Structure formats: C-alpha cells, structure tokens
Amino acid sequence: MTRSQSAPHAGFVIAVPALSRGTANRSEDLRHPDRLAAQWPVSRVVIMDHAGRVELDAAGTSAAAPRLRSHPAPSIGQAPPTDAVLLGSVDGIDHWAIRGDVTDGSGLRELGPLLSDTDAGLLTTATALLTWHAAAGYCPRCGEPTLPSPAGWSRACPQGHEDFPRTDPAVIVLVHDGADALVLARQPIWPPGRMSVLAGFVEAGESLEATVVREVHEEIGVLVRDVSYLGSQPWPFPRSLMVGFAARADPAAPLLPREGEIESAHWIDRATIRELLANPDDGWSGGDVIGGSVGMMLPGRVSIAHRMIQGWAESG
C-alpha cells in the first residue's frame, strides 16, 4: 500500500469520554505570577483530600448534574498557597485546587460521569496535578528537593532543573470481527464478572498503532488489522492518557489469554452487549456465551472503555 492509498477502516463514532469534556481555559499565559496575584481575590478553590475526594455543592445536589464545591480564594489565604495548583479559568474566574480535609466526599471515579463538562475537567486536572506533586518532591536529575511553580504546573530544584507533570500513553483497543461480535477479556485482579476491552502501555520507540498490534497479540494471541483511532481520555490513576482504537480480527482465530495477565477472553455478540448497556446495574448471566453461570459487567461510565463499547454497539 502506498501512502496515497486509503487504509481499511475498522472504526466507528464514540461519544466524548467522561473525563475529556473539560471547558476551562488552560492557557500557559494564565500562569504568570503577577496575573495570578491580581486575580486571586476573585478566584475559587476546590479542596481535595489525600484520597482524591472532594465535596459537592449542597445547592447543586438536586440539580441535573452535581456541582463541585469551591471556596472563595480569600477564605483560603491572602495569596495562593505554595502547594495550590491552577486548574484553569472559567468565565474569567481562576479555579484552583489544594489539599485539605474533606467530609463526606467522593472521588473522580464516582463523580466523573455525573459532573458537568466544566466540573469534570476541573476535577480531572486537580486529580492529575495533585497526584503528581505528591510523588515529585525530588529532582529526577540530581535528587535535590523541588518546589512548585506559582501555578503548580512545574517544579524546580536548587540547581535550576525543571520538572513537569508526566503523562504515560497507553492504548485501549476494541477488537471486533467487522460484523456483530467483539472481544471482551478480564484480568484476574478485577471484581468477579467484570470484563473489558484490551489495553497496554506504549513502549519506548513504539508508535501507537504498533502498540495496538503488539498488545493484542501478547494478551490474547490474535493478530489484528485495520487499526483505527477512536478518541482519547486522561486517566489520572496516576498519570495515563488512554488512546482508544478499534481493530479487526478473524473470529475463527483461537483466543489465547496470556497467563498471569488475562484470566479469560471471549467473543461476545452485539445483542448481548446492548442488553448489558440497557441494564447497567443488573449485570447479565452469560452461561451460553462465556461458560458456566458467570455474571458479566461492563466497565463503568467514567472510562473510555465504556464509550468505546457503547459506540460499537450502536454502530451496527
């Protein structure tokens, strides 16, 4: 195939993933210290505890979407605390996050799909940045202690070495047969019945597409083709970017789960997936499909995996 020819396409349309919906202005131009100081008196601050939990605004609990609770910045201090992180600007108002005590809070996994686009983006950024700061107290080059920048988007040591938040790319792949079946697999550490699509980290010197082919073959022993991009989602647990793909495989090829990584893998028909999506809380007893009386559950709505499975189910 030459570069001018079109490659076969295995993709389909997916809804914007729950954690990719942010609307805040995250421009680097917002992070100048003088600007931050001038804006602080009208800024808002979200408090997150060390378990990643935040509180909801009581006035928004009965609304269509719950709202993050934020505090007037002057109630936190006369200037941004050294450990505060700038999440972005919303309608001209800076929003920050800091660590602190939280009562009756919830985390990103629970709140991600429920919050508005703006709040989902703010909470995703807060989770990613504060998690990074907790693990980045020392310079990776010289080992000296580091201090955060005024906006919290970098850290520097006394030697002048600057460190930035790290993101690890990973592919997540929906393998299908080009007709009415897809592959779902489960890892042995997951709760009983939980199944999902395949995923793995990108290795050094490797393209995203090459990772798709390698990971699928390693995990279930199948060669895929027609690798097609679907979308992406930050996954700050602790620092991944999930890049979604679809790929085709021969349904007659045996599925060979990799020992120690994949407990089981099965072709599942579209009608079953639609039934599961229609009854997300009930699960499904899939004896005829996956063997025995095993209840099957799909990934939660906070994950891009859910959007991928849903998109595939609605595409046929």
Side-chain angles (χ1 to χ4, degrees):
M1 178 185 297
T2 67
R3 290 183 180 271
S4 61
Q5 293 176 316
S6 297
H9 198 273
F12 41 85
V13 175
I14 69 171
V16 177
L19 305 188
S20 299
R21 299 177 290 130
T23 63
N25 180 1
R26 292 160 48 106
S27 172
E28 184 178 357
D29 295 337
L30 301 177
R31 303 170 192 171
H32 191 280
D34 292 341
R35 183 200 165 277
L36 298 177
Q39 291 293 320
W40 180 253
V42 295
S43 298
R44 306 290 300 184
V45 180
V46 174
I47 297 176
M48 175 179 287
D49 70 11
H50 288 278
R53 299 177 302 178
V54 295
E55 294 178 341
L56 296 177
D57 187 343
T61 54
S62 61
R67 297 201 301 259
L68 289 179
R69 183 182 183 190
S70 63
H71 304 264
S75 69
I76 304 299
Q78 295 183 349
T82 56
D83 59 346
V85 295
L86 177 67
L87 307 179
S89 177
V90 179
D91 297 328
I93 303 298
D94 285 358
H95 284 63
W96 296 73
I98 61 170
R99 292 290 192 193
D101 295 329
V102 168
T103 302
D104 297 327
S106 298
L108 183 60
R109 292 178 187 269
E110 298 80 23
L111 295 177
L114 305 177
L115 295 170
S116 68
D117 292 358
T118 296
D119 278 4
L122 292 174
L123 184 54
T124 301
T125 304
T127 302
L129 278 178
L130 292 176
T131 300
W132 172 69
H133 279 288
Y138 294 90
C139 178
R141 294 179 61 182
C142 67
E144 291 282 348
T146 58
L147 292 174
S149 69
W153 282 87
S154 65
R155 298 181 69 93
C157 73
Q159 304 299 321
H161 303 145
E162 199 167 13
D163 192 23
F164 296 90
R166 173 179 166 183
T167 297
D168 295 335
V171 300
I172 183 164
V173 192
L174 189 148
V175 177
H176 64 88
D177 64 354
D180 284 315
L182 85 168
V183 174
L184 292 182
R186 64 170 279 104
Q187 296 181 12
I189 62 172
W190 286 351
R194 175 60 53 83
M195 300 189 76
S196 186
V197 294
L198 303 168
F201 285 103
V202 180
E203 295 187 345
E206 189 174 49
S207 70
L208 296 169
E209 294 82 0
T211 306
V212 168
V213 175
R214 174 184 58 77
E215 280 288 343
V216 173
H217 188 258
E218 286 178 355
E219 293 193 348
I220 60 172
V222 170
L223 289 174
V224 296
R225 63 188 186 279
D226 305 342
V227 177
S228 304
Y229 174 75
L230 298 177
S232 66
Q233 172 169 274
W235 192 247
F237 306 109
R239 55 174 180 257
S240 299
L241 175 68
M242 306 303 297
V243 186
F245 290 90
R248 285 194 180 95
D250 181 356
L255 301 181
L256 305 173
R258 189 178 184 88
E259 185 176 356
E261 291 188 27
I262 303 297
E263 183 178 280
S264 61
H266 307 275
W267 286 100
I268 311 293
D269 64 88
R270 197 185 304 266
T272 298
I273 296 299
R274 287 175 173 170
E275 182 179 351
L276 284 166
L277 290 168
N279 301 281
D281 297 326
D282 298 332
W284 180 78
S285 180
D288 292 337
V289 177
I290 59 177
S293 299
V294 180
M296 186 167 66
M297 297 180 295
L298 296 180
R301 289 187 297 148
V302 72
S303 67
I304 189 176
H306 185 94
R307 299 291 206 208
M308 293 165 63
I309 293 169
Q310 183 179 45
W312 175 83
E314 295 173 351
S315 68

